[in-house]
Amino acid sequence: MKPGPRRSVSQSDIVDAAFEILEEKGVAAVSVRGVAGALGLTPTAMYTYFASKNALLQAMVEHLLTGVSDASAPDWRDRVVAVALALRAKLAEHSGSLVLVTSGPLDGPNALSLAERLIESFVEAGLTVDDAARAGHAVRAFVVGQSALETARRAAPVEVSAVQPLWSDSRHPLVEQTTGLALDGGGDEEFAAMLERVIDGFARA
């Protein structure tokens, strides 16, 4: 984005500019001063919208999570999977998004709606509110962790499956037997299959 004079901007403009910087330079480059420069504003003007870098990052997280809690399905289990898939898709949209969602507490309105949706679904399954909250947290942690592994795989300089591991021997027969599952890059179907195992652990409690 080329900096230039802007007579007026909105918070949405600022967040969009911040995401452009995130994509191009990484989360460390996202700052009030940097975004102000991209929009042709002074840092002082930026502070009228966001009081600090943390406030800007929180707004970016909220933007990222927009619509995730709207994912729906009639059955509670399918609803949990739908929400998890929606969150995974959002995290895949922007490089650096994983750093964003792990940079502070997820306590904005969209983040809380996501947590509420998962808790409601597990309560519908018969869990107590406390156990439903634990289950919802586990689902979010699974999505973030799995997304991190998938991001690392996409960033690998070579196709891992095309390389014969140097450590391949009889000491890891079960690992070698299951290498075809592509656990860190098998698409929505493999992701959902793993998530179902996580859900099963709570549903049977």
Side-chain angles (χ1 to χ4, degrees):
M1 173 180 293
K2 295 181 179 180
R6 295 285 296 270
R7 296 202 311 185
S8 64
V9 296
S10 66
Q11 286 194 349
S12 178
D13 293 327
I14 293 171
V15 170
D16 288 343
F19 268 108
E20 285 194 32
I21 293 173
L22 176 71
E23 297 286 352
E24 295 173 4
K25 301 178 181 178
V27 71
V30 178
S31 66
V32 171
R33 184 174 296 276
V35 176
L39 291 170
L41 300 174
T42 65
T44 301
M46 271 284 293
Y47 285 120
T48 64
Y49 295 92
F50 297 103
S52 65
K53 176 177 178 175
N54 284 340
L56 175 59
L57 294 178
Q58 287 181 327
M60 293 173 71
V61 170
E62 279 294 287
H63 176 79
L64 186 73
L65 297 180
T66 300
V68 171
S69 63
D70 295 335
S72 188
D75 177 73
W76 71 266
R77 179 186 288 267
D78 292 339
R79 195 179 314 127
V80 170
V81 173
V83 170
L85 285 169
L87 175 58
R88 175 171 171 259
K90 288 283 189 175
L91 293 175
E93 283 181 11
H94 298 285
S95 62
S97 61
L98 287 166
V99 178
L100 277 180
V101 298
T102 56
S103 62
L106 297 178
D107 54 4
N110 288 335
L112 293 177
S113 292
L114 167 60
E116 185 79 8
R117 187 70 162 167
L118 290 171
I119 293 172
E120 286 175 348
S121 297
F122 281 109
V123 166
E124 186 178 323
L127 275 65
T128 65
V129 173
D130 285 353
D131 279 344
R134 294 184 180 103
H137 183 83
V139 167
R140 295 195 306 278
F142 171 79
V143 176
V144 172
Q146 182 62 22
S147 295
L149 293 173
E150 292 173 357
T151 297
R153 181 171 182 110
R154 287 194 297 270
V158 294
E159 181 58 40
V160 177
S161 61
V163 178
Q164 180 66 29
L166 297 177
W167 54 85
S168 178
D169 57 38
S170 60
R171 290 177 296 176
H172 312 108
L174 299 179
V175 173
E176 293 184 16
Q177 183 179 333
T178 56
T179 53
L181 292 176
L183 299 178
D184 56 357
D188 288 353
E189 185 175 348
E190 187 59 58
F191 173 87
M194 290 187 288
L195 178 60
E196 290 281 1
R197 303 305 181 273
V198 175
I199 296 172
D200 285 344
F202 285 96
R204 294 169 183 166

